Amino acid sequence: MSTSSVSRRNFLRVSMIAGGGMLVGFSTLGKDEKATMDETPFSPNVYIKIAPDGKITLVSPNPEIGQGVKTSLVMLIAEEMNVDWQKIQVEIAPLDAKYGSQTTGGSGAVRSRYTPLRQAGATARVLLIAAAADTWGVAAADCYAENGFVVSKIAGKKLSFGELATKAASMPVPANVPLKDPKEFKIIGTRVKDVDAQAIVTGKPLFGIDTRREGMLFAVVARPPAHGKKLQSFDDSAALKITGVKKVVQVKSSVAVLATSTWAAIKGRAALKINWEDAAKLESTTDHDKAFRELLSKPAATPNRNDGDVDTAMASASKVLDVYYEVPVLSHAQMEPLNFYADVRDGKAELYGPTQVPQNLVATVARELNIPPANITLGLPRQGGGFGRKLRPDNGVEAALISQAAQCPVQVQWTREDDMQNDFYRASGMFRFKAAVKDGNLEAWQQSFACLGNGRSPDTYPAGALKNLRIESYSLPTNIPTGPWRAPTHNVQAFANECFMDEVATELKKDPVAFRLELLKKAKEQPVGRLAYDPDKFISVIELVAKMCNWGKTPANTYRGFSTWFSFNSYVAQVVEIQMEKGKPKITKVYCAVHCGRVVNLSGAENQVQGAVVDGLGHAMYTKLTFQNGAAVQTNFGPYNFVRMRNTPLDVVVGFVPSEENPTGLGEPGLPPIAPALANALFAATGKRFRRMPFTDDIQFA
């Protein structure tokens, strides 16, 4: 066993449950005390409840949006407590300060909870053993925990955790918590099915969209039809004649129709007569693209990074590659359209619905409604996807405002069209790359990026591996709302960087894999400036994926593309294989090598990577959203073409680099490298470079 002390910023708390039982968790220090402490990342507060009847409950603090966090957290607790994971029930915690940060985003839930959860589970185990030893009058060292019981090595007796829980809660809490030696792990690193799998496939009500409350009305909202428009006036007389429609209320620049069913509310909204007026410029995608090229034609005022002397290297080069890459606006388009329940009355608010930022949502509602945060309760259901969309609290805030105006409980339901017209989009952008080549070597690299909003990434690979490197960024002001989209910034940066890297390798007549390894060796041995990545981990995934696919020995009638990237402290390398069918490419297989620290749930980890691959392929191949006069042109899954099963790879093979380190991010890192790997495979098959997404603008897939 190893020991792990709790950070000085936090302390373990063990207490008794009313009526008997045991509660184990962490408590945080006050703000004034925290300010003097170290800033080591530590995400407290998870609670394990052990009832006298033996029921064990994990209160999961982070919202579950499909990433499997509920399952992984159970595994950590079960491992340290030596109990069957299936005997632990999981509840998603409501918003409460005692749970610490409850945000889900940035692939951070498991990596931030890994040590605290193990500490909590180990503490419970030690106290239960101590309670049993005291009961039998034997040494704690002569007892051990196994499958929900404490067993005496000497007497052969055993007591269940439930029988010991109340007494264990009164035992002294150990200063240093003994954690299991990883060599003893029986659960961590194995395959465990999602704890909600059966409920999901049998249609059990788990999601915010399933919410039903006494006296609740359903609402749909008429929002401005374009970014840059606002409400001028409306006539609701026809809407109120629709059967089931009960109320129509105005909230800011929108009009909400409340009815006894969602369908009645939708019909009522269609019957509204609304006048909208221009309030700002009505932007179009063609204007954005033109502005991007103009920005990229002139040097940035201040580069984000400027190593060596790029200009001199460019001037003395035997050849300068100069190319552009383009990425479109994307919608999050999560499977469960946005929704939220709110009941605001008597200066209080009860909220329930999908969000990735519970604390931010409550703070915003308190400000908008002018009520104390203490008067707001927020419950969190399982969520049908997020991908960053629910890092914005607008759906919950809107529901609270509608309930306050209508003076009744309400569930606001968005349609798919509502979702895609009123998203916080993945911003469109354009890259310009220049590379100086001389004497068979890459002498300088310059990348410039112009986008809606801000897209700076000054330290991305190959920064640190080249003597002469310049990175610039340009921001185009816009009234079209943008926000994080799965693997923010990395999802576009990897595409452009790794495609251009392939172009440079081709120009130098070097193998794509060998060329990356050559650069990473330089970064390791003679780093230039700040090095934001670990070359050895990069190398480990490249070598693993090359071994997995037997790189260099491509199967007959098959074409391959390679790519690699790092994000959220994890490293991924991928190889895409395609075959041509009647002149059209078909993706047949994808290989993925991942370095993400210790893998907690092997099947869940594989699923995260495979899901990221399919998601990334679909968006690379098919999806884009454009604007005309401020309005989204594509507003449903017809024109906004998602990948279908027939277009996905026949196999996605995932391999993990063995690691003794704590887990790093996994929900997002599998996505960035897949688009460039596909683009590079398409080049191998067709001899044509694909420098803009989606690729179906330039080629049709089989």
Side-chain angles (χ1 to χ4, degrees), residues 2-12 26 38 40-42 115-116 118-120 122-123 174-179:
S2 61
T3 59
S4 180
S5 300
V6 182
S7 163
R8 291 184 293 127
R9 296 175 59 190
N10 307 272
F11 60 90
L12 270 165
F26 287 95
D38 67 86
T40 302
F42 188 91
T115 298
R118 290 185 61 202
Q119 288 173 327
T123 299
N176 293 302
V177 185
L179 300 180

Side-chain angles (χ1 to χ4, degrees), residues 4-48:
S4 180
S5 300
V6 182
S7 163
R8 291 184 293 127
R9 296 175 59 190
N10 307 272
F11 60 90
L12 270 165
R13 185 172 72 183
V14 179
S15 57
M16 194 177 300
I17 303 172
M22 182 184 185
L23 185 68
V24 183
F26 287 95
S27 293
T28 57
L29 300 172
K31 287 185 179 180
D32 294 338
E33 295 173 279
K34 275 188 181 180
T36 63
M37 299 297 179
D38 67 86
E39 293 302 315
T40 302
F42 188 91
S43 187
N45 227 314
V46 63
Y47 281 101
I48 308 165

Side-chain angles (χ1 to χ4, degrees), residues 81-83 144-151 158-159 161 186:
M81 289 183 66
N82 285 342
V83 66
Y144 62 93
E146 182 180 64
N147 199 28
F149 290 86
V150 176
V151 182
K158 68 177 183 178
L159 289 169
F161 286 178
K186 296 179 180 179

Side-chain angles (χ1 to χ4, degrees), residues 213-216 340-352 365 369 371 375-377 396 399-404 406-411:
R213 296 286 193 274
E214 184 73 26
M216 181 187 86
F340 225 89
Y341 168 83
D343 185 3
V344 179
R345 64 178 90 183
D346 302 326
K348 297 182 179 180
E350 177 192 353
L351 308 175
Y352 187 81
V365 168
L369 270 60
I371 62 177
N375 287 2
I376 302 172
T377 61
L401 290 169
I402 292 170
S403 177
Q404 183 187 56
Q407 298 184 332
C408 70
V410 59
Q411 184 192 46

Side-chain angles (χ1 to χ4, degrees), residues 18 51 280 348 351 384 397 445 506 560 583 601 612 657 679 681:
K348 297 182 179 180
L351 308 175
V397 175
W445 174 290
T506 300
R560 284 176 167 174
N601 183 359
V657 176

Side-chain angles (χ1 to χ4, degrees), residues 56-334:
I56 303 174
T57 304
L58 166 64
V59 182
S60 178
N62 296 94
E64 170 65 82
I65 58 174
Q67 78 279 36
V69 63
K70 285 175 67 177
T71 308
S72 296
L73 300 190
V74 165
M75 294 175 69
L76 299 176
I77 293 291
E79 184 68 78
E80 289 293 345
M81 289 183 66
N82 285 342
V83 66
D84 184 350
W85 68 270
Q86 297 182 80
K87 294 181 179 178
I88 301 178
Q89 297 185 353
V90 191
E91 299 173 357
I92 298 178
L95 178 64
D96 196 310
K98 69 185 180 184
Y99 297 112
S101 173
Q102 290 179 257
T103 296
T104 288
S107 295
V110 172
R111 59 177 166 152
S112 67
R113 302 280 179 178
Y114 181 74
T115 298
L117 271 143
R118 290 185 61 202
Q119 288 173 327
T123 299
R125 182 190 71 236
V126 169
L127 292 176
L128 290 162
I129 290 174
D134 185 70
T135 300
W136 295 323
V138 300
D142 293 326
C143 304
Y144 62 93
E146 182 180 64
N147 199 28
F149 290 86
V150 176
V151 182
S152 168
K153 299 177 184 177
I154 298 173
K157 297 178 181 179
K158 68 177 183 178
L159 289 169
S160 71
F161 286 178
E163 293 173 298
L164 293 166
T166 301
K167 184 170 185 176
S170 66
M171 304 298 291
V173 180
N176 293 302
V177 185
L179 300 180
K180 266 190 176 182
D181 187 318
K183 295 177 183 177
E184 300 175 4
F185 285 167
K186 296 179 180 179
I187 300 174
I188 293 176
T190 64
R191 298 179 184 276
V192 171
K193 68 179 182 181
D194 192 291
V195 295
D196 287 336
Q198 184 173 1
I200 292 171
V201 299
T202 56
K204 298 288 177 62
L206 294 172
F207 303 94
I209 203 170
D210 299 318
T211 304
R212 300 293 182 270
R213 296 286 193 274
E214 184 73 26
M216 181 187 86
L217 292 178
F218 296 86
V220 295
V221 181
R223 303 174 185 86
H227 302 287
K229 286 187 176 291
K230 68 177 182 179
L231 179 67
Q232 183 183 64
S233 63
F234 70 96
D235 180 353
D236 61 6
S237 56
L240 289 168
K241 295 177 182 178
I242 300 293
T243 301
V245 173
K246 299 298 182 183
K247 298 182 180 183
V248 177
V249 298
Q250 178 181 344
V251 174
K252 295 189 175 181
S253 196
S254 300
V255 182
V257 178
L258 287 71
T260 54
S261 69
T262 303
W263 180 237
I266 290 173
K267 291 175 66 178
R269 181 176 65 175
L272 290 171
K273 296 179 180 178
I274 304 180
N275 294 316
W276 306 98
E277 62 180 352
D278 293 349
K281 181 181 178 181
L282 302 180
E283 301 176 25
S284 297
T285 296
T286 52
D287 297 330
H288 295 158
D289 292 343
K290 181 180 178 181
F292 291 151
R293 284 197 175 266
E294 290 175 354
L295 288 170
L296 293 173
S297 67
K298 47 192 174 184
T302 304
N304 304 132
R305 179 162 176 157
N306 198 12
D307 298 335
D309 190 342
V310 171
D311 293 333
T312 298
M314 293 288 180
S316 62
S318 57
K319 184 173 184 179
V320 175
L321 304 183
D322 188 351
V323 300
Y324 290 81
Y325 281 85
E326 302 173 45
V327 292
V329 164
L330 293 180
S331 172
H332 293 86
Q334 65 280 342

Side-chain angles (χ1 to χ4, degrees), residues 458-614:
D459 297 318
T460 56
Y461 157 81
L466 298 172
K467 291 182 179 180
N468 304 302
L469 176 140
R470 180 182 296 147
I471 298 177
E472 302 172 319
S473 63
Y474 308 80
S475 178
L476 182 66
T478 180
N479 58 36
I480 291 174
T482 61
W485 190 93
R486 192 173 190 175
T489 303
H490 297 285
N491 56 64
V492 297
Q493 194 81 52
F495 162 63
N497 277 50
E498 280 294 277
C499 283
F500 187 61
M501 187 70 75
D502 210 67
E503 293 200 47
V504 173
T506 300
E507 178 64 31
L508 297 175
K509 297 180 173 56
K510 293 186 177 182
D511 175 81
V513 168
F515 183 51
R516 265 72 160 203
L517 291 174
E518 175 187 319
L519 289 175
L520 289 166
K521 184 178 179 181
K522 290 180 181 178
K524 177 182 177 179
E525 296 176 352
Q526 295 179 314
V528 179
R530 181 172 182 265
L531 198 63
Y533 52 87
D534 185 329
D536 284 328
K537 292 180 179 178
F538 243 140
I539 290 169
S540 72
V541 294
I542 294 174
E543 291 181 340
L544 177 57
V545 82
K547 181 179 179 181
M548 289 167 61
C549 72
N550 199 13
W551 181 263
K553 296 182 179 179
T554 306
N557 304 315
T558 299
Y559 303 90
R560 284 176 167 174
F562 169 81
S563 176
T564 186
W565 200 251
F566 81 107
S567 59
F568 305 96
N569 296 333
S570 294
Y571 298 76
V572 180
Q574 297 175 340
V575 171
V576 170
E577 291 186 349
I578 64 175
Q579 294 179 353
M580 301 300 288
E581 296 183 359
K582 297 180 180 179
K584 296 180 179 180
K586 181 177 180 61
I587 304 168
T588 55
K589 199 166 189 175
V590 176
Y591 296 90
C592 307
V594 184
H595 192 307
C596 59
R598 185 177 298 281
V599 174
V600 176
N601 183 359
L602 183 55
S603 60
E606 288 174 341
N607 182 263
Q608 283 289 287
V609 177
Q610 291 167 338
V613 165
V614 172

